[in-house]
Amino acid sequence: MRNLTELSDEELAMAYINGQYAAFDLLLSRNQSKIFSYILFVVRDRSMADDVFQDTFVKVITKLQQGKYTTSGKFSAWVMRIAHNVIMDIYRDQKSEKIVEATEDNDLSNFGDQALLEQAIEAKFVNDQVLQDVKKMMNLLPTTQREVVYMRFYQQLSFKEIAETTNVSINTALGRMRYALINLRKMAQEHDLMLQLL
């Protein structure tokens, strides 16, 4: 039998389901920083982030114990999807106006190939200084736009992974990115920031 530290996150999750409770401690230690950083970035409040983090892992434990996890995808992506849902539930409960959803006709299929769109977006953020300026401005974006920018550029998730994590279509994820870029450009112009793009 292999040592728990040699197992992947997905194997650890299955080990926990099968009664090896120490596997969860290792899963938590491997993923807590990434998940908490994501939550804190989205909610921008330490106390709320602590609550969301705790609720997220309570749901993770419950779902694992109920056998609602399969090794068909990355464990961390599965946990992020749960964290996203917890955050959205809180915003819905508070009837917060912080969440700005794209319109129904937010279809970017007429913009051309998705690969070209991804390359164009990535090219704008290659320069490190640009990333720093953008990160400062990101705090001013609506939650859904800030979330997609964070997932794409700071967690290197594909638009497919972002769409799955946030329970929206790829076109909606792309649309949120497009609106975020438009808003970031406006902010850069208003504040006379020179964003050096490739």
Side-chain angles (χ1 to χ4, degrees), residues 154-198:
Y154 294 92
Q155 295 187 316
Q156 286 82 43
L157 296 181
S158 69
F159 281 107
K160 182 175 188 257
E161 291 170 320
I162 293 169
E164 290 171 357
T165 301
T166 57
N167 294 320
V168 298
S169 69
I170 289 178
N171 281 345
T172 299
L174 287 166
R176 289 176 179 175
M177 178 62 80
R178 178 174 174 262
Y179 289 119
L181 291 174
I182 289 169
N183 287 331
L184 289 170
R185 280 191 206 108
K186 284 180 185 174
M187 284 184 248
Q189 288 174 350
E190 289 169 6
H191 294 66
D192 291 323
L193 285 175
M194 293 300 294
L195 299 180
Q196 183 183 356
L197 305 176
L198 291 181

Side-chain angles (χ1 to χ4, degrees), residues 99-106 144-145 171-173 175-176 179:
I99 300 174
V100 177
E101 292 293 334
T103 58
E104 290 287 326
D105 60 348
N106 185 23
T144 54
Q145 294 172 21
N171 281 345
T172 299
R176 289 176 179 175
Y179 289 119

Side-chain angles (χ1 to χ4, degrees), residues 1 19 25 31 48 55 62 65-66 70 137 139 148 177 180 184:
M1 181 183 228
D25 295 335
N31 290 281
M48 185 176 180
D55 288 352
T62 303
Q65 290 174 345
Q66 292 172 344
T70 59
M137 292 185 295
N139 284 332
V148 75
M177 178 62 80
L184 289 170

Side-chain angles (χ1 to χ4, degrees), residues 30 33 44 72 86 129 147 166 183:
R30 283 184 187 175
S33 176
R44 296 188 296 181
S72 60
V86 170
Q129 184 59 47
E147 182 179 48
T166 57
N183 287 331

Side-chain angles (χ1 to χ4, degrees), residues 48-64:
M48 185 176 180
D50 287 335
D51 291 344
V52 170
F53 182 80
Q54 193 170 29
D55 288 352
T56 297
F57 274 91
V58 166
K59 288 188 184 230
V60 167
I61 290 169
T62 303
K63 287 178 183 295
L64 286 171

